[in-house]
Amino acid sequence: MSVGNINIHCPWEDNSPEPLLDICGKYVIGHPETFCVKHQYSGLWFLRPGTALPTELCEKLISLWQDKDPEALDDRFINIFRDLTNTRLKRVNLRNSSVSDDGLSVLLAHNLIELDISNCSKLSERTLDNINKYCDSLMTLVIGKTKDILPSSVLSWSHAESSNDFENSPIKEGKQRDYILRTPNLRKLVVRELIQPKHHEYFVMLLQPLTRLTHLDLSGCFFLHDIKYILPMKNLVSINLHNAQRIQDAIPVLSEIKTLKFLDVSQANQTYGMFECPNTTLANLVMSLPNLISLDISGTNLSGDGTFDEYRESDTKGRSRDRDSETDLCDIPGLRSRINNPLEFLGLYNTHHDACHRNHIPAKVITGDANEEQILAATAAYLDRPEVLVKALNELFHIFRFETCHYQQRALNLILLAMLRHRWEKHIQISGSASLFYIAKSEDKSSLSVRARQKMIVVLLDAMETHLNDSTMMRNGCLTLCQFRIPQDVLFEYRRLVQLLLRLIKGRGDGDDFVRRIAIYLLNSLACQVDGEQKELVGDLGAIETMLKLISDRLQSHVHDDMLEIAWSAMWNVTDETPVNCLRFLNGEGMTYFQKCLKEFPDKPELLRNMMGLLGNVAEVKDLRHRLMTPDLLTTFADLLDSNSDGIEVSYNAAGVLSHIASGGAEAWTIDRPTRAEVLERMVAAIERWDLASKRNINYRSFEPILRLLEVYHTPQCQHWAAWALANLTRVYPEKYCTLVEEEGGLQLLQALLASPTPYHRIKDLARTVIIQCQHYKEDGSLERMDLDSNS
């Protein structure tokens, strides 16, 4: 980013749908086989015969891969661009990728005009040779911190020249022609934190031949000396020397570059930003640069050490002055020449004496920590400076936590950009995620676009996967995810989130219980209100086994807590109308854990309700019922019919389990004790004790299993339970369940039941109640409460 250029467009800030090109691009990079063929032995991808990709699509594929996972961007995928006839590239960003010299050589053959290879750890000096060979057209080159591309010192060239290996050395040509880079059309060069070269001629050889440069960034570089070698660059408009060593030595030369519009001489450490005569130095520099519109002096003392009033008092001491004539104020002495022509941008972050807090500063945009606007400006301006960026993000977090953020959309965009750009910087991820928590829970969160919410979730998952062992990051991530609508907002990353939560639930020791609690809560929420395919996926990823392991640990420790209850609740949700997960539960010795929990914690209503709800799901699966047909289990279920735990819920769920087991007929009752007749009699007695107006702690997505029981004419007791359940639910929650009964064909089944001679009178009364309640709801739009008691 050029100094002062802080207008950053974020494609996710509006409510427009994601472009079709992006949607298709994301799909194909996840499924390269759609347009590529993979070589069996090398693993390289080749473009399918007959496929041609235009420039825009080629560049978009690389860009989307960068967003997905830059480290996974390697030579295997890059190989598709070997086909120069059917692929085209002009602008390539490989930042943080795993592309090697060989892969980059494939891309360089496209005669690129822009290339970013910063932080590419697999590139070596061979790439320099390839750049010099193929890059006559290159206009922008961002090397960044990829230090191994450039030779460590020009002194090594003399050694190479006298060596027997000189003929094969990639720097031979450079030595003969006195250059390091042969890129004659280069306009922008970014080389950061190059600290090895100590020979005076190094930067001379690197930069002096690049006479057409307009933008030069040497942030963090050492041994620059007095930089006279840049004077031949007659078109320079931007120079970035942030954190450069001995910045004081560069000021005289910088003053001679009259074309400069953007200048950065800031320092991260104030110790290295001290000038002997700061006021005079800054004043002379600014007056020497007539085109200057952007200046960054953060971390230096160039801002001086006082205010306008103090300077005025000093200037007028001992002589009279007309106060009324002094209408122009300036609190930075070196910038008095710009009072009537303020800078577009001024960096004052972390300056001596907190210059950003002064009142009279001749600049339109200022970076600092005095207020929200300055902090946002700093966050935008320093996106490429992790050590400064994390401080700005911390300041932004304090605004969210203790004050009111007036520019929340702008702040959100910057936080997301910072986290995307610095995925491996733990402190940036922690600080950014802390602010995302407050944004996600704020009253304004409803104004967030769908794409903004999705980008927040993706960035959080990236951070959590990258810093899985950091408990603070996990806490921030989980708490922030809890602020979204679960599962609606996260369905697009459902698999990924479930996998992450299961890893957290498995944990790494006793110190992670808080994070594990939030993770299991989220997983339980994810299993609610989703269809069978997603429930199956949760089971496929190991949720049942993980929950059973957690339950086993609690039993061994004799601990009853909320995690034990939520583990059973999660399995209840994930087995709902999902037979394969019910089978996983049984095969994982789930019934053993059920009996142990019942024995260990007999008086825990929530636990009993959750366990019996799960067993109700198991009993709905015809092929699994025989595994519940044991004397101990049937006796337990029958005894729970008399339970008053959690209102009627435990008794209700026990009756549901027994109804489904009994629906198999007398021949399916393969045990002698308790007898089928005895259990059915106790079940009817329990049903008749329940209040039809009972409020329920249960949620049905479908009535299909209950409606099936209405057709079990050989065992009317099963119909009794089903009819009572429908009568209760349509009475207490008519707006939710009356429509569901009708949509799933329940009214026809109830009419058939009324026409049959088999069901006894009480069942038919309940059936009529359901029909009448549904009719009233349909006619009135809302059901008028019917004055029916539980025996009507």
Side-chain angles (χ1 to χ4, degrees), residues 455-648:
K455 183 57 68 172
M456 290 172 71
I457 291 165
V458 168
V459 166
L460 282 169
L461 294 180
D462 287 346
M464 294 171 75
E465 289 173 346
T466 305
H467 304 284
L468 192 65
N469 293 322
D470 187 273
S471 59
T472 304
M473 183 64 245
M474 296 305 101
R475 180 183 298 235
N476 286 0
C478 286
L479 287 174
T480 305
L481 288 169
C482 287
Q483 308 307 314
F484 292 95
R485 295 175 302 164
I486 304 294
Q488 298 95 317
D489 285 344
V490 298
L491 288 176
F492 75 105
E493 285 280 23
Y494 196 81
R495 171 188 285 269
R496 187 181 178 197
L497 179 53
V498 170
Q499 287 176 315
L500 176 62
L501 293 175
L502 287 174
R503 292 178 70 181
L504 293 177
I505 293 167
K506 291 174 184 177
R508 302 175 303 280
D510 294 337
D512 299 313
D513 267 3
F514 180 79
V515 169
R516 295 176 76 191
R517 279 185 166 83
I518 309 174
I520 196 172
Y521 164 80
L522 276 170
L523 183 70
N524 192 31
S525 300
L526 282 174
C528 291
Q529 301 299 318
V530 291
D531 58 28
E533 181 180 350
Q534 285 155 326
K535 291 179 186 291
E536 279 195 32
L537 173 62
V538 176
D540 292 343
L541 296 175
I544 299 290
E545 292 81 0
T546 301
M547 296 302 106
L548 290 174
K549 176 63 169 60
L550 189 150
I551 292 167
S552 175
D553 292 342
R554 291 300 187 269
L555 284 168
Q556 289 181 10
S557 304
H558 306 287
V559 172
H560 171 274
D561 60 6
D562 55 338
M563 289 181 67
L564 177 67
E565 293 183 352
I566 299 176
W568 282 102
S569 178
M571 289 194 295
W572 181 6
N573 284 318
V574 87
T575 54
D576 179 33
E577 297 186 53
T578 313
V580 65
N581 286 340
C582 294
L583 179 61
R584 287 185 172 109
F585 170 77
L586 294 177
N587 289 345
E589 300 184 43
M591 295 312 300
T592 300
Y593 292 122
F594 163 73
Q595 290 177 302
K596 287 183 177 180
C597 283
L598 196 62
K599 181 178 179 181
E600 184 78 21
F601 313 111
D603 301 319
K604 301 298 180 181
E606 185 81 7
L607 178 62
L608 283 173
R609 180 178 69 87
N610 293 346
M611 291 194 298
M612 290 307 300
L614 185 159
L615 294 188
N617 291 338
V618 175
E620 289 174 6
V621 183
K622 183 178 180 180
D623 293 340
L624 299 181
R625 290 172 192 154
H626 68 279
R627 297 182 63 169
L628 303 179
M629 187 63 67
T630 69
D632 286 346
L633 286 175
L634 268 296
T635 299
T636 298
F637 299 151
D639 289 343
L640 288 173
L641 289 169
D642 300 327
S643 172
N644 293 318
S645 183
D646 199 23
I648 69 166

Side-chain angles (χ1 to χ4, degrees), residues 321-427:
R321 193 158 183 173
D322 183 3
R323 290 178 61 92
D324 294 336
S325 67
E326 294 194 27
T327 58
D328 296 324
L329 308 180
C330 181
D331 285 343
I332 298 180
L335 293 181
R336 288 179 183 174
S337 64
R338 301 304 297 259
I339 290 177
N340 297 318
N341 182 25
L343 295 166
E344 295 293 323
F345 173 91
L346 177 62
L348 293 178
Y349 196 83
N350 194 35
T351 49
H352 282 253
H353 303 287
D354 294 325
C356 63
H357 289 261
R358 300 173 191 171
N359 294 319
H360 311 296
I361 302 174
K364 297 177 182 178
V365 176
I366 300 166
T367 67
D369 59 10
N371 53 51
E372 181 179 336
E373 289 191 15
Q374 288 189 6
I375 293 169
L376 289 173
T379 307
Y382 307 137
L383 279 170
D384 282 327
R385 302 175 187 174
E387 72 282 1
V388 183
L389 180 60
V390 70
K391 296 177 183 177
L393 287 174
N394 282 331
E395 297 286 351
L396 194 54
F397 163 67
H398 283 99
I399 289 177
F400 279 109
R401 185 177 183 185
F402 300 113
E403 304 173 30
T404 299
C405 181
H406 297 95
Y407 304 100
Q408 180 169 294
Q409 184 64 60
R410 184 181 170 200
L412 172 61
N413 293 339
L414 290 169
I415 292 166
L416 293 176
L417 284 170
M419 294 177 72
L420 283 167
R421 190 166 298 187
H422 301 283
R423 181 171 174 175
W424 297 99
E425 296 286 344
K426 181 177 69 174
H427 295 295

Side-chain angles (χ1 to χ4, degrees), residues 18 20-31 60-61 64-65 67-68 451 454-455 458 492:
E18 189 173 16
L20 182 59
L21 179 60
D22 285 11
I23 296 173
C24 295
K26 288 178 181 178
Y27 179 84
V28 298
I29 62 172
H31 304 82
K60 173 63 72 173
L61 290 175
L64 289 172
W65 201 298
D67 289 344
K68 177 186 175 185
R451 293 175 67 188
Q454 290 186 347
K455 183 57 68 172
V458 168
F492 75 105

Side-chain angles (χ1 to χ4, degrees), residues 177-345:
R177 302 190 185 188
D178 291 331
Y179 63 73
I180 296 175
L181 276 172
R182 194 190 70 81
T183 48
N185 286 296
L186 199 64
R187 302 295 198 276
K188 178 178 180 179
L189 175 65
V190 178
V191 177
R192 295 187 178 129
E193 297 186 17
L194 190 61
I195 62 176
Q196 292 175 323
K198 298 181 180 179
H199 194 271
H200 181 73
E201 296 299 314
Y202 189 93
F203 282 99
V204 176
M205 297 189 69
L206 175 64
L207 298 174
Q208 194 160 266
L210 306 178
T211 57
R212 304 185 73 176
L213 279 185
T214 59
H215 293 73
L216 176 61
D217 185 339
L218 298 175
S219 303
C221 291
F222 279 28
F223 310 110
L224 295 176
H225 302 287
D226 60 10
I227 67 169
K228 287 183 180 179
Y229 41 81
I230 68 173
L231 288 175
M233 301 176 188
K234 300 302 182 182
N235 301 307
L236 272 177
V237 297
S238 175
I239 297 181
N240 188 340
L241 297 176
H242 167 69
N243 241 22
Q245 184 194 39
R246 289 296 305 164
I247 189 64
Q248 295 83 352
D249 296 341
I251 298 298
V253 173
L254 292 173
S255 300
E256 296 183 42
I257 306 176
K258 307 302 181 181
T259 53
L260 275 185
K261 293 183 177 181
F262 306 93
L263 175 61
D264 188 334
V265 292
S266 62
Q267 293 286 309
N269 189 329
Q270 290 185 1
T271 304
Y272 303 114
M274 300 298 291
F275 290 78
E276 289 186 6
C277 302
N279 296 342
T280 304
T281 300
L282 181 60
N284 292 340
L285 176 65
V286 171
M287 286 188 289
S288 300
L289 303 175
N291 296 307
L292 192 68
I293 61 174
S294 173
L295 174 66
D296 201 325
I297 55 174
S298 300
T300 73
N301 68 341
L302 289 173
S303 57
D305 57 2
T307 64
F308 172 82
D309 290 331
E310 291 171 340
Y311 296 129
R312 181 174 58 186
E313 182 180 345
S314 175
D315 288 344
T316 60
K317 189 174 183 180
R319 54 193 172 94
S320 175
R321 193 158 183 173
D322 183 3
R323 290 178 61 92
D324 294 336
S325 67
E326 294 194 27
T327 58
D328 296 324
L329 308 180
C330 181
D331 285 343
I332 298 180
L335 293 181
R336 288 179 183 174
S337 64
R338 301 304 297 259
I339 290 177
N340 297 318
N341 182 25
L343 295 166
E344 295 293 323
F345 173 91

